[in-house]
Amino acid sequence: MAFAISGYFTSIGLAVVETPKAVQLIDGVRDEDGNVTKKDAVKASWKCYIPAALTAAGSTACAIASCTISHKRNVALATAYAAAMASAQEYKNTVLEVVGEEKAAEIRKVADKKKMDSNPITQNEVLKTKGNGLDQVYDPWSGRYFWSSIDEMRMVMNDLNYAMLNYDTVRLNDFYDMLGLDHTKPGLDYGWDINNTGPVKVMCSTQIADNNRPCFVLGFDHEPRFGV
C-alpha cells in the first residue's frame, strides 16, 4: 500500500514535469489559425505521459495486491478466531462435565473476581439504567459499572432471545440498549446467533467490590461472538 500511495504521487509529478514538453509538441501540430484537433493533440503528446501511466498502473497493481493480502489475513484471522471460540466453548463444557456445576461456578467466580479487580470501581462511575435495580453490576465487556438487578438483566435477555427467534442474531449493543446504556464498539462487533448458541442465559457471580459493597459480575452461558 505504501508503494501504491507513493507511486500515485510519483505519477502525478511525472505528468506535471512532462506537460510543458507535451504543450510544445501540441503547438507544433497546430494549423495556420492556431487550432488543433483533439486527435492530433493526443497523437502528438501521448508518448510524454507513458512514464506517468506506467507508474500509475504499477501503483494500481500494488493497491490490488495489498487488498488481496489483507483479505487473506482477515480470512485467516477469522478462521483462527472461530477455532479458538469453539475450543474455548468445548473446554468450558468439559470443565462443567468433569467438575460439576457447583465446582464450575466456583472457578467462574474466581475468574470474575480477577476481571473486576483489574478495573476497580473506585476509578469508575456507576451508571444509571432504565430499570429500578439497586445492585451494582460490573460488565467485563465494556469495563463499566451500572445499577441493575439479576431479574432486570434476565428479563432483558429473555426479550433478546425472543428477538433472536425472529431475526436469528442480536448484538451486545441490543442488550445495552434495553438496559439503557450507551453503545460500545465491542457491542457492535459482538453478539449472538440463535443457530450457534440457542437461547442465552445471564450468569452472574456475586463479588465484593473495592467499595465494600456487593457487586454482580455480568456473564452469559454463551459468550458473545465476533462478527455476528
Side-chain angles (χ1 to χ4, degrees):
M1 186 57 71
F3 280 121
I5 294 172
S6 61
Y8 283 127
F9 282 108
T10 301
S11 65
I12 293 172
L14 290 172
V16 171
V17 169
E18 292 295 325
T19 295
K21 182 179 178 181
V23 171
Q24 290 180 354
L25 293 173
I26 292 172
D27 288 339
V29 295
R30 293 183 185 275
D31 58 22
E32 296 179 354
D33 297 325
N35 298 321
V36 61
T37 63
K38 292 182 179 180
K39 181 178 179 180
D40 290 338
V42 171
K43 187 175 180 181
S45 62
W46 70 273
K47 291 182 180 180
C48 296
Y49 296 102
I50 290 177
L54 291 175
T55 304
S59 299
T60 301
C62 289
I64 293 172
S66 175
C67 292
T68 302
I69 292 170
S70 296
H71 175 70
K72 289 180 178 179
R73 287 179 177 174
N74 289 337
V75 170
L77 286 172
T79 302
Y81 172 79
M85 285 295 295
S87 178
Q89 187 62 44
E90 183 180 354
Y91 178 80
K92 186 176 179 180
N93 294 336
T94 303
V95 168
L96 186 62
E97 291 176 4
V98 172
V99 304
E101 291 187 8
E102 186 175 344
K103 201 68 178 177
E106 291 180 14
I107 295 172
R108 184 171 60 251
K109 188 171 183 177
V110 173
D112 288 346
K113 177 64 173 172
K114 291 182 178 180
K115 292 176 186 177
M116 189 180 68
D117 288 345
S118 67
N119 189 20
I121 196 170
T122 52
Q123 300 177 7
N124 296 273
E125 175 189 3
V126 182
L127 304 174
K128 294 182 179 180
T129 58
K130 291 179 181 178
N132 299 316
L134 299 176
D135 297 319
Q136 289 181 154
V137 180
Y138 173 63
D139 173 26
W141 286 92
S142 64
R144 297 181 292 190
Y145 288 85
F146 57 88
W147 298 109
S148 187
S149 69
I150 291 291
D151 289 338
E152 286 177 357
M153 290 186 290
R154 284 175 177 169
M155 287 177 62
V156 166
M157 202 68 242
N158 287 338
D159 290 339
L160 284 181
N161 284 326
Y162 180 77
M164 271 200 289
L165 290 173
N166 292 292
Y167 303 107
D168 291 339
T169 63
V170 293
R171 290 194 171 108
L172 191 55
N173 272 344
D174 296 323
F175 181 80
Y176 295 147
D177 194 49
M178 289 184 177
L179 284 174
L181 295 170
D182 292 337
H183 291 183
T184 67
K185 179 61 170 64
L188 178 64
D189 296 330
Y190 287 81
W192 296 275
D193 186 334
I194 192 70
N195 297 313
N196 291 326
T197 64
V200 179
K201 295 190 223 176
V202 169
M203 298 183 68
C204 296
S205 65
T206 306
Q207 307 289 342
I208 299 297
D210 58 342
N211 62 356
N212 295 320
R213 292 192 54 176
C215 182
F216 291 114
V217 178
L218 177 62
F220 308 94
D221 62 337
H222 293 284
E223 297 299 329
R225 299 170 64 91
F226 180 80
V228 171

